[in-house]
Amino acid sequence: MSTFSPKSLEHFHNEIAIKFQLYNSLFLSLPFSKIEKTGLLLSVLQNYCEEGYAQGQNAEEIINSFVQNQTNFDSEQKTLDLLFRFIQYIERQIVLFDALEDAAYDRINDISGPGTLKHLQNKLSDHQYTASEKKTLENFSVRLVMTAHPTQFYPGSVLGIIGDLSKALQHNQTDQINILLQQLGKTPFLNKKKPSPYEEAVSLIWFLENVFYHTIGSIANEFKSTMPFMDPADHPIIKMGFWPGGDRDGNPFVRAETTYKVANSLNIAILKCYYRDVRKLKRRLTFKNIDTIIAKLESDLYEQAFLRTINTIRTMNDIIGPLKLIREILFTENNGLFIENVDELIDKVHCFGMHFAFIDVRQENEVHTSLLSAIMENNGFSNASYEEMPEIQKINFILDQKLDATPDQFEDEIFSDTLLTMQTIRKIQEDFGEEACNRYIISQCTSALNVIEVLALFKISGWNINEVNMDIVPLFETIDDLVKAPIVMKSLYELPSYKSHLKRRKNRQTIMLGFSDGTKDGGYLMANWMIYKAKEELSKMSKEYGIDVMFFDGRGGPPARGGGKTHKFYASMNKEISSKEIQLTIQGQTISTNFGIKESARFNIEQLINAGVTNNIFQDESNNFTKEEESLILSMAEISLKTYLALKNDSNFVDYMSEVSPLKYFGMANIGSRPAKRGKVEKLTIKDLRAIPFVASWNMIKQNVPGFYGLGTAINSIIEKGQFEQLKAIYKKSLFFRTLMDNSEMSLIKTFMPLTSEISEHPIFGDIWQRINAEYELTSTNLLLLGNHTTLMEEYPVDKLSIQMREKIMIPLATIQQYGLSKLREMDNSGEEELSNSYQKMIIRCAFGIINGGRNSA
């Protein structure tokens, strides 16, 4: 999602491509057993892969040919040992490539160019704000919500090495680079066990402390004078959210005690950050009447953050108050010396408060429905008669009836924990402020009743119904849910009980839209178009009811999960779509990829702010789709959906994914605390399968179906109707549509069908492979025609080169994984348990490298 200067390609060649070859050669000289031979043999295997696929060979044939011609192995175990060493070697090559890209980030990306705040600053310098624009900007913000979705395969120790290696590479410290490569060679890339939800939270808090705290603070301090709407004292324009410890949807290991523990850890972490800054200030603020104030603040922060012996710092003012007093004395008695240092810390406190990042609680709607049913039964009410009631009567019933329940009444742990969680939220608000936890998200929300059920449960768990300081956020994910979303919200807006709740929440309603599950449900084009149209209709309808609607996008890393060039989507929204806030999830690998270092975090945050402000101030209605253009896109989306569903509903589709891809082994990887699918049913179904393993599995076999399937056929239909020139005009006019197509090109360029070509002749799965391959070819051809390009990603040469280099590094890894899958299919319950386990481990290890190597591929 980068914007490049003209010299970016040259910098990429010099700073990354050439240096990768140079430093990669250092691996050959590392003093480890057999590593020299491993490195040399790996380069030979890479040639075998490239030539073999070009000649129509499959993965098993390539590996067998390599072993036969390049080794004298006399056992399958020796081959396995060598393949495992290849995997370990490639993993470290990928780390080196990551570190090189991080080290060169500010030279590859135009950090003062289009999309940055300096660029925005210039655009706004002579702008005459209208009253409406001023009001809009005063309330505009970007909310980045960190999630613990399992797409980050690097353990913390390896992430630390990447950071140190990047710094050494920036300064060409050859000796240090050599030492770090040696450390890398000895450092395990595997977690010994699955992390707990709390451990996941701790690992992400590291990014808050070491990246976001400094980056957001410096952005706010630097631009608040020239762009007053960015002054955090009035309104923090950048806010951090947090899902680890709060996200219960399908994660059976999150508990109420986890939620509080994470909130407490976030509080400790931010106090430690403040303490470190105060300690630095103390070294400069040695003046009379100031030294005692700063010393007391330092002492209080230390005792509360590190020793936990006092609890005197309860609110932001307990920190800002002493700092403002210091500022006043500096101004009146010390010529303003070091006043800018004090201002920067004050800005940080306004940005992060006492909570650092707000915790979202998320639970699936059926849990609330089932819990209320159990509560009614315990209170002597008939569930049968309740079920027969119309929806409005059910709503009035659960709000009006006095229903009593306590967590210890239920044997079902989910029921007791749900009530306990609602009590815990109130304690978190009391201890760390309302902003620490004030949103409750309902997954798979399908009705107004689902929302009111949560409000009723807050009342049952001890909250005063008129004092529920929580935003209740419905999450609409499937195509059907997106279509019904306006109807659901209209019903809510007209309910007197919910209108009263919204009034207490300043008539602001947040609605979450799920890109990942939407794509899994309806394919790439239809999902994105329906989300766009849902936003449009929900914006219009909310405005009619006097409600400020905010959209919270559940985005992943790759285009198939709402990723790609995300900032361009926000810059291209229809003028009628509410864009008062940009809210999105940053998940797993996306965090370390796009926000893992200060340079990338700052660049990507600035891109989002610029996109939101630009859309609010400079977007005009001429960019809106006409009715004819909408009709054309909708007809494409319908054909795309029909094509995608024909594939997804094939009776062999799930088995194809299970046998051809590593899908069924995804849950064996110790990367996340939650299971790969919802529910406890053993048989795999598309409905229960989570979007992350769904998309990741397609990526690992280099087919990337969720990122393009159906699009080629849809464009072809437009060509056949003689409407291709109209479509090209839309592509040229609409940044939204063009970005959608560009992101699909990214999915296509990461697709490599020869990897699985042997499946083309499989008696059961051959037809599915052939259909995917045909759609890949058709989509590639039609997108090139649409963009008038000669190659995919022609307008993103640096992104393209990065992908191509990464794919070249990973092709032996993908080949080894396919080899393992092929061997397991051949065994098929043959009883060779030890050998079968080895191949399973090999498949999982390859998954780590492929996901890490692709950056944002899951």
Side-chain angles (χ1 to χ4, degrees), residues 361-583:
V361 173
R362 183 171 74 135
Q363 183 57 280
E364 199 261 330
N365 82 77
E366 288 186 8
V367 172
H368 309 130
T369 302
S370 300
L371 172 56
L372 272 169
S373 178
I375 290 171
M376 284 189 283
E377 187 175 335
N378 288 351
N379 281 265
F381 294 101
S382 168
N383 276 316
S385 59
Y386 172 78
E387 287 302 323
E388 292 174 359
M389 296 179 186
E391 182 178 75
I392 186 62
Q393 195 173 339
K394 287 181 179 179
I395 287 171
N396 292 331
F397 181 85
I398 60 176
L399 287 176
D400 295 341
Q401 291 297 328
K402 182 174 174 54
L403 299 170
D404 294 319
T406 58
D408 56 11
Q409 288 179 329
F410 298 96
E411 292 184 7
D412 190 315
E413 193 173 7
I414 293 180
F415 288 174
S416 61
D417 186 73
T418 300
L419 290 175
L420 191 57
T421 295
M422 291 179 166
Q423 295 172 358
T424 300
I425 291 170
R426 186 159 59 179
K427 179 170 173 54
I428 289 172
Q429 291 190 355
E430 290 170 354
D431 289 352
F432 311 118
E434 182 187 318
E435 284 193 328
C437 186
N438 64 3
R439 300 206 306 192
Y440 197 107
I441 300 167
I442 308 165
S443 293
Q444 301 184 46
C445 183
T446 59
S447 67
L449 177 62
N450 289 158
V451 175
I452 300 303
E453 285 172 338
V454 172
L455 197 58
L457 287 170
F458 272 109
K459 176 185 175 184
I460 293 168
S461 63
W463 290 65
N464 183 324
I465 192 68
N466 296 315
E467 297 176 1
V468 178
N469 299 322
M470 295 292 294
D471 293 330
I472 302 174
V473 181
L475 167 53
F476 302 108
E477 298 173 275
T478 67
I479 302 300
D480 189 47
D481 291 344
L482 288 167
V483 170
K484 293 178 181 176
I487 300 170
V488 171
M489 296 313 300
K490 185 176 189 295
S491 299
L492 281 169
Y493 292 158
E494 292 178 348
L495 282 173
S497 56
Y498 197 70
K499 284 169 69 175
S500 298
H501 174 72
L502 282 179
K503 189 175 180 180
R504 293 191 298 274
R505 304 305 294 167
K506 301 180 180 179
N507 283 325
R508 292 164 62 91
Q509 173 67 56
T510 300
I511 298 172
M512 188 172 182
L513 304 169
F515 283 74
S516 300
D517 281 292
T519 303
K520 179 169 73 78
D521 180 56
Y524 179 71
L525 182 58
M526 179 57 89
N528 280 277
W529 181 243
M530 290 311 300
I531 288 171
Y532 183 91
K533 290 301 295 178
K535 283 187 176 184
E536 192 175 62
E537 292 186 40
L538 288 165
S539 297
K540 181 181 177 182
M541 190 257 295
S542 297
K543 187 176 181 179
E544 290 173 357
Y545 282 89
I547 303 299
D548 282 337
V549 67
M550 314 295 161
F551 295 114
F552 177 22
D553 295 332
R555 293 182 180 271
R561 296 185 51 237
K565 296 164 180 60
T566 307
H567 66 283
K568 290 193 174 183
F569 278 119
Y570 291 115
S572 67
M573 286 295 100
N574 184 320
K575 191 69 175 177
E576 303 304 316
I577 292 176
S578 173
S579 54
K580 292 182 170 72
E581 290 189 0
I582 289 177
Q583 300 186 26

Side-chain angles (χ1 to χ4, degrees), residues 109-144:
N109 297 277
D110 189 356
I111 59 175
S112 298
T116 65
L117 288 182
K118 287 185 178 177
H119 181 251
L120 179 64
Q121 191 178 41
N122 292 333
K123 285 169 66 177
L124 294 174
S125 59
D126 298 321
H127 184 72
Q128 299 298 315
Y129 296 99
T130 65
S132 174
E133 288 172 346
K134 283 183 178 179
K135 184 179 179 182
T136 297
L137 291 181
E138 284 169 1
N139 293 297
F140 173 74
S141 66
V142 171
R143 291 182 181 234
L144 300 175

Side-chain angles (χ1 to χ4, degrees), residues 21-54:
Q21 299 302 325
L22 172 65
Y23 290 118
N24 185 44
S25 66
L26 289 178
F27 281 121
L28 299 179
S29 61
L30 293 179
F32 306 133
S33 173
K34 300 180 181 178
I35 197 160
E36 181 175 356
K37 190 176 181 181
T38 301
L40 292 172
L41 284 173
L42 177 58
S43 64
V44 176
L45 175 60
Q46 190 170 59
N47 290 333
Y48 267 74
C49 291
E50 292 173 0
E51 293 174 5
Y53 290 123

